[in-house]
Amino acid sequence: MNTTTVEGDGIVTEVRDLVETYVKAEVVEITEPSTGVVALAVRSGNSVTPLTPTIFDQYRDAPRYRQGAATLLSIDSLIDHINRFKDTDSIVFADDNREKPSITAVLDYHRVGAGGDPRFGKHRSLFGFPLSDEWKAWNDSNATPMSMADFAAFLENRIIDVLYVIPGEDSLPEDVQRLIDTLGGGDTVATPNKLMELARGLQVNESAVVQEAVNLSSGEGVVRFQSEHTDAAGAPLKVPSLFLIGIPVFNNGPLYRIAARLRYRKAGGRLTFWYELWRTDRTFDHAFSEAVERVKIETELPVLIGKPEA
């Protein structure tokens, strides 16, 4: 027998057993020093890999805690969802971003007080305020110069939003009434019929040359066209100073009366028209505040303006 070979095989076997023992995976417990929380981990060689608790979720009869964010599509549903799961430490955050306003309720928020127990904050109710089609249409074209034809088409498409208001007889918000008085009184406010008359007049004179555009002391303008059509009269066309629209800020929300000032500019014998909505920021803020106040009252939870922790 070759002694050297036997000794060599023994060394190989010992090395192999040592390596297998060293790299053999085993489940161990690791302890978090500050709290004493024990977790499972897999040790293999010099590495220790914690086991994520989620690998056991499929074997549980129930989740360890509630988590996830429900996206609600109406204020009513948001309130119902909050009331279904809230507790004394739940809280609501309201983001007043005018482009993407939203409300987030954190149902498992941290316990109240500096000494209160922290919680995960993973169970939430989300609501993104849907801006109304009317609000988006009027704001998208706000202060945008348009040709006579484009402006006339816009007015015809949105004429349903224009209010028939008789200043002095109809009750108007105080700031709107002051604006009307400043611009010359009730005669400066266009009715839907007046705007349609203006739109049709602009369409008839689309190819006409403007003779004059004069601002009168009443606040109205007079536009006189030199028509290229032989059978057109080219009569003066009055341009009112402003009109009022009634539109909701959010889908299915209440209507808000908003003043829109009419503007035009003459350049190269042509007119460019546009309108400027007056103080829509205050209108948005009022609509948002009313919705937030309703959530606060009907859920009986505190509401903070801002966003929750990520």
Side-chain angles (χ1 to χ4, degrees):
M1 182 175 63
N2 191 325
T3 305
T4 303
T5 302
V6 172
E7 290 178 353
D9 290 341
I11 293 173
V12 170
T13 300
E14 289 180 7
V15 170
R16 184 183 65 232
D17 292 343
L18 179 63
V19 170
E20 288 179 350
T21 301
Y22 178 73
V23 300
K24 182 181 180 180
E26 62 176 327
V27 176
V28 298
E29 292 184 347
I30 55 177
T31 304
E32 204 273 318
S34 62
T35 63
V37 172
V38 176
L40 298 178
V42 175
R43 181 175 63 190
S44 179
N46 289 327
S47 67
V48 178
T49 305
L51 293 175
T52 173
T54 58
I55 66 174
F56 301 106
D57 284 351
Q58 60 182 320
Y59 305 106
R60 301 180 189 276
D61 293 330
R64 291 177 297 131
Y65 55 87
R66 295 187 182 97
Q67 61 178 323
T71 301
L72 291 315
L73 303 180
S74 71
I75 283 283
D76 292 334
S77 295
L78 172 72
I79 293 171
D80 289 343
H81 190 264
I82 292 174
N83 287 334
R84 183 182 181 90
F85 296 107
K86 71 179 182 181
D87 60 29
T88 55
D89 295 300
S90 300
I91 195 168
V92 176
F93 292 85
D95 184 357
D96 59 355
N97 183 315
R98 293 194 180 106
E99 299 298 324
K100 292 184 177 180
S102 64
I103 289 179
T104 301
V106 184
L107 302 166
D108 57 338
Y109 200 63
H110 308 305
R111 300 296 184 188
V112 173
D117 293 332
R119 294 199 287 180
F120 289 110
K122 291 185 176 181
H123 191 209
R124 303 186 175 200
S125 308
L126 306 180
F127 175 67
F129 285 87
L131 296 172
S132 72
D133 292 339
E134 297 90 339
W135 179 266
K136 288 186 288 188
W138 283 99
N139 277 278
D140 287 348
S141 296
N142 185 36
T144 302
M146 292 177 261
S147 68
M148 288 193 296
D150 290 341
F151 187 68
F154 178 84
L155 288 181
E156 288 190 340
N157 288 336
R158 305 305 316 180
I159 198 66
I160 191 67
D161 301 327
V162 180
L163 297 177
Y164 192 92
V165 176
I166 303 177
E169 296 183 19
D170 293 310
S171 177
L172 296 174
E174 183 180 350
D175 54 350
V176 174
Q177 187 60 59
R178 284 202 307 269
L179 174 65
I180 293 173
D181 294 340
T182 301
L183 295 178
D187 291 339
T188 66
V189 182
T191 63
N193 292 340
K194 179 68 177 179
L195 280 185
M196 286 303 298
E197 178 185 330
L198 173 64
R200 293 190 181 104
L202 294 178
Q203 287 174 334
V204 167
N205 293 282
E206 178 182 355
S207 301
V209 177
V210 180
Q211 287 187 314
E212 56 182 283
V214 182
N215 289 323
L216 304 180
S217 59
S218 66
E220 288 186 325
V222 171
V223 180
R224 189 182 302 275
F225 297 98
Q226 179 181 342
S227 179
E228 296 177 359
H229 303 287
T230 55
D231 58 347
L237 185 65
K238 288 187 177 181
V239 181
S241 295
L242 60 87
F243 57 94
L244 297 177
I245 59 175
I247 60 174
V249 177
F250 307 122
N251 278 350
N252 303 316
L255 297 182
Y256 284 86
R257 287 172 291 183
I258 302 172
R261 298 193 64 180
L262 272 175
R263 304 288 194 182
Y264 62 88
R265 180 186 297 118
K266 176 183 177 182
R270 302 288 180 178
L271 284 180
T272 299
F273 281 84
W274 70 95
Y275 63 88
E276 295 174 358
L277 298 178
W278 194 65
R279 293 189 171 181
T280 52
D281 54 341
R282 295 177 62 177
T283 303
F284 175 92
D285 291 346
H286 187 273
F288 183 80
S289 296
E290 279 198 331
V292 169
E293 185 65 19
R294 182 188 168 195
V295 173
K296 181 178 181 180
I297 291 173
E298 295 189 27
T299 64
E300 299 180 330
L301 292 178
V303 177
L304 303 180
I305 302 300
K307 297 180 179 180
E309 297 92 328

